[in-house]
């Protein structure tokens, strides 16, 4: 561990850099959403990519500061969550183009980082039985899952906004700025499926980690019960979408509600 004062200062300045660059990226995305000028969108992407680099550096610096994967406090977990959402967005953007998706995703990332900024940044030592390579594996799978489910949440909100405008029969501000309902439904389906796969990997790796640390696969403590609730919520969504044929508005509403459950349970188990 690097506990020298200068390293704490570097860590603090890195987080401030993350916050400022991400807010600037979101501001550029909003200005592109309003004015539809391509050079603003290009700057927004560059800034968000810069934010991803700074978030990565901050997480690495936090690792050296505390001596283990930085997911033991609310602040660390939410920063890792924001990083996973940013990385998931760029992996999605690498293959697919969805109009103005970055505006909604960058706003979610800013909200996560603001929540992290208001949380205490104290160092909490990890219990010796939990020191294992299963920690980064479990945390990585789970938070990447939340990142993709966050993308599905943004897609769900965009779907509900677009559908509301279409149903009103008065095509206004959002209609020309949002993708078609079919494109948004496919986005939700894609992100939900990937997110659920990582969620399952997170559950399995967490069980093996618990077995190694405590001698049992499931202890029914609040954190494990909340993880099970999240998994069941998304299992129901997967069943309804891919087996029962739920699409469109009902599917969009489900991913929004599911992500609210993720946020509430994350807040419950890390504060």
């Amino acid at each position: 561990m690097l506990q020298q004062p200068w390293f704490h200062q570097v860590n603090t300045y890195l987080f401030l850099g993350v916050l400022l660059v991400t807010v600037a990226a979101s501001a550029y995305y909003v200005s592109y959403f309003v004015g539809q000028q391509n050079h603003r969108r290009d700057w927004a992407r560059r800034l968000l990519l810069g934010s991803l680099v700074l978030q990565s550096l901050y997480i690495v610096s936090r690792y050296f500061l505390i001596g283990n994967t930085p997911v033991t406090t609310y602040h660390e977990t939410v920063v890792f969550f924001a990083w996973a959402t940013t990385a998931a967005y760029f992996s999605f953007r690498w293959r697919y183009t969805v109009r103005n998706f970055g505006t909604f995703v960058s706003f979610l990332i800013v909200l996560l980082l603001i929540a992290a900024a208001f949380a205490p940044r104290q160092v909490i030592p990890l219990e010796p039985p939990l020191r294992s390579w299963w920690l980064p594996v479990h945390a990585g799978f789970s938070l990447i899952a939340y990142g993709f489910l966050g993308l599905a949440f943004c897609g769900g909100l965009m779907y509900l906004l677009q559908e509301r405008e279409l149903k009103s029969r008065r095509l206004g501000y959002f209609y020309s700025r949002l993708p078609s309902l079919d494109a948004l439904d496919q986005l939700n389906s894609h992100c939900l499926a990937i997110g659920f796969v990582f969620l399952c990997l997170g559950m399995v790796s967490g069980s093996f980690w618990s077995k190694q640390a405590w001698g049992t696969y499931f202890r029914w403590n609040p954190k494990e019960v909340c993880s099970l609730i999240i998994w069941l919520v998304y299992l129901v969504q997967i069943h309804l979408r891919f087996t029962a044929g739920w699409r469109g508005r009902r599917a969009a509403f489900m991913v929004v509600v599911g992500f609210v459950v993720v946020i509430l349970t994350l807040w419950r188990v890390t504060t």
Side-chain angles (χ1 to χ4, degrees), residues 115-136:
F118 282 100
R121 274 185 275 174
Q122 81 275 22
V123 174
I124 298 179
L126 194 65
E127 295 179 60
L130 297 178
R131 293 184 179 277
S132 162
W133 60 271
W134 281 112
L135 171 59

Side-chain angles (χ1 to χ4, degrees), residues 150-168:
L151 298 190
F153 165 76
C154 293
L157 284 181
M158 293 167 74
Y159 185 99
L160 295 174
L161 282 172
Q162 184 69 297
E163 191 209 32
R164 182 182 177 189
E165 192 129 309
L166 289 170
K167 278 189 172 178
S168 71

Side-chain angles (χ1 to χ4, degrees), residues 212-232:
Q212 184 189 66
W214 310 111
T216 178
Y217 289 104
F218 202 86
R219 293 188 301 150
W220 295 101
N221 65 23
K223 186 175 289 188
E224 292 174 346
V225 170
C226 286
S227 298
L228 181 62
I229 290 171
I230 291 173
W231 184 79
L232 288 172

Side-chain angles (χ1 to χ4, degrees), residues 68-210:
N68 55 258
T69 306
V71 288
T72 53
T73 66
Y74 181 77
H75 168 79
E76 292 165 354
T77 305
V78 175
V79 169
F80 210 135
F81 190 173
W83 176 88
T85 306
T86 313
Y89 170 71
F90 277 107
S91 71
F92 182 86
R93 177 70 185 75
W94 179 55
R95 293 191 61 189
Y96 304 100
T97 300
V98 177
R99 192 189 314 160
N100 282 312
F101 191 35
T103 305
F104 288 78
V105 175
S106 67
F107 197 65
L108 172 63
I109 296 167
V110 166
L111 289 179
L112 290 172
L113 291 173
I114 289 174
F118 282 100
R121 274 185 275 174
Q122 81 275 22
V123 174
I124 298 179
L126 194 65
E127 295 179 60
L130 297 178
R131 293 184 179 277
S132 162
W133 60 271
W134 281 112
L135 171 59
V137 173
H138 166 67
F141 282 145
S142 300
L143 290 168
I144 289 173
Y146 294 167
F148 276 99
L149 297 174
L151 298 190
F153 165 76
C154 293
L157 284 181
M158 293 167 74
Y159 185 99
L160 295 174
L161 282 172
Q162 184 69 297
E163 191 209 32
R164 182 182 177 189
E165 192 129 309
L166 289 170
K167 278 189 172 178
S168 71
R169 298 185 180 180
R170 288 184 298 178
L171 304 182
Y173 193 78
F174 290 108
Y175 175 73
S176 61
R177 288 171 170 78
L178 296 180
S180 68
L181 293 181
D182 282 344
L184 290 170
D185 194 51
Q186 289 175 17
L187 182 156
N188 289 340
S189 173
H190 180 83
C191 293
L192 177 63
I194 294 178
F196 187 70
V197 169
F198 278 105
L199 200 58
C200 292
L201 292 172
M203 287 291 290
V204 172
S205 57
S207 298
F208 283 117
W209 184 28
S210 177

Side-chain angles (χ1 to χ4, degrees), residues 49-62:
L49 189 59
S51 167
L52 178 63
V53 173
L54 287 174
Q55 288 177 56
S56 305
L57 290 174
Y58 178 72
I59 290 171
V60 171
S61 73
R62 195 77 188 173

